[in-house]
Amino acid sequence: MPANRTPVMFIHGLWLHSTSWQPWADRFREAGYEPVLPEWPGVPATVAQARRNPDPQAGIGLAEISAHHARIIRELDTPPILIGHSVGGFIAQHLLGQNLARAAVAVCPGQIKGVKAVGPAQAKSAFAFLRNPANTKRAVSLSPAQFRYAFANAVEQAESDQLFNDWTIPSPARPLFQLALSNFAPGSPAKVDTANRTRGPLLLLSGKLDHTVPDVLTRSTHKQYRKSPAVTEYHRFEDRGHSLVVDHGWRELADHSLTWLDRHPH
């Protein structure tokens, strides 16, 4: 890693490959950071390989994904900044709560234990997979129509199709079950240390039009941190859906994140 460059680890969520973060990585490198783009355990290095061979990631859950990224962090020369989307946003919070990172940006993050809000759009996005318990042991894929509804409802159809073709991969369904059922499971892996007083700053970002992680969930997540004096901030993008980190408006979020990081020591 180049000297004097703070690492920034990008953590993707379900159904997107780590390489979908490449535009962000380039932007952050331009800004003086050193990007790190790890893949989830069992996922190959390219989209094409992940589509051909989804089985090694089947059954992987939140604990395994978080531990995998924690191991990578411990191999770095200095703690990173974390930027995560969806389930990756949950992982970013989980690792930040363990004081493994300098700061974190969680974009439309998967709901942590304690967040109880839910809406019909979110239920529709997840029900196709949650209705079959056998999916906890499988890697599952979105159809183009499911991707359109869950991710790309705020962009044109042509862009939705392009994003689907470029970045989507099969993903383990187990994290969906763990997040959805966290409030009914003692010892749930979806629990985050929201009361940590010594952790680094956290920025929560949401899209008002998001079907998969509705804005109400991100606002509820923000409230979970009320017992900690550590910096926790929230911002909503009015015209964005769940695809906001990969669609044509990604730079707005990247630049907002960079500006926020500049304002908060880390």
Side-chain angles (χ1 to χ4, degrees):
M1 182 175 298
N4 302 320
R5 280 183 173 262
T6 299
V8 179
M9 177 179 286
F10 295 93
I11 310 172
H12 68 83
L14 292 168
W15 299 301
L16 293 178
H17 194 267
S18 60
T19 51
S20 65
W21 283 114
Q22 192 58 55
W24 284 70
D26 295 341
R27 178 70 186 93
F28 272 71
R29 185 177 288 111
E30 291 173 0
Y33 294 93
E34 185 61 25
V36 182
L37 280 70
E39 195 39 82
W40 283 14
V43 180
T46 69
V47 170
Q49 291 171 334
R51 289 171 177 169
R52 286 196 301 268
N53 188 26
D55 292 342
Q57 59 173 313
I60 295 294
L62 296 174
E64 293 85 356
I65 297 167
S66 184
H68 174 77
H69 286 83
R71 284 192 293 270
I72 296 171
I73 288 173
R74 293 187 176 104
E75 293 173 356
L76 299 174
D77 294 333
T78 185
I81 293 165
L82 304 176
I83 299 181
H85 172 242
S86 199
V87 171
F90 163 83
I91 298 297
Q93 293 176 81
H94 192 250
L95 297 171
L96 184 69
Q98 300 173 63
N99 294 325
L100 292 176
R102 298 167 182 256
V105 178
V107 185
C108 304
Q111 63 196 82
I112 63 177
K113 185 177 177 66
V115 172
K116 299 178 181 179
V118 68
Q122 181 195 25
K124 181 178 177 180
S125 294
F127 180 70
F129 305 104
L130 296 177
R131 66 184 176 184
N132 185 353
N135 283 335
T136 59
K137 299 180 180 180
R138 296 172 177 164
V140 297
S141 299
L142 291 177
S143 69
Q146 288 170 326
F147 180 81
R148 174 69 169 156
Y149 183 83
F151 274 75
N153 58 295
V155 300
E156 297 294 333
Q157 181 68 55
E159 183 174 8
S160 175
D161 293 341
Q162 188 66 55
L163 294 172
F164 181 86
N165 290 333
D166 287 348
W167 303 124
T168 58
I169 62 171
S171 288
R174 188 175 187 85
L176 271 181
F177 286 83
Q178 292 175 321
L179 293 171
L181 302 176
S182 64
N183 292 318
F184 307 99
S188 168
K191 182 175 176 56
V192 166
D193 185 0
T194 56
N196 186 338
R197 303 173 63 88
T198 62
R199 62 161 173 83
L202 171 64
L203 174 62
L204 300 165
L205 299 178
S206 78
K208 185 178 180 180
L209 305 182
D210 194 332
H211 284 169
T212 296
V213 183
D215 175 63
V216 65
L217 294 185
T218 307
R219 285 188 278 117
S220 181
T221 297
H222 185 230
K223 292 177 182 177
Q224 297 298 311
Y225 286 93
R226 61 188 177 276
K227 294 182 180 179
S228 172
V231 172
T232 310
E233 296 185 0
Y234 154 85
H235 180 80
R236 181 175 74 186
F237 293 88
E238 297 298 312
D239 58 347
R240 310 301 297 280
H242 202 62
S243 68
L244 73 179
V245 296
V246 292
D247 63 33
H248 68 277
W250 70 267
R251 184 179 287 272
E252 181 184 12
L253 272 83
D255 287 347
H256 184 95
S257 300
L258 284 166
T259 299
W260 181 83
L261 288 166
D262 286 344
R263 291 204 317 267
H264 297 284
H266 48 266

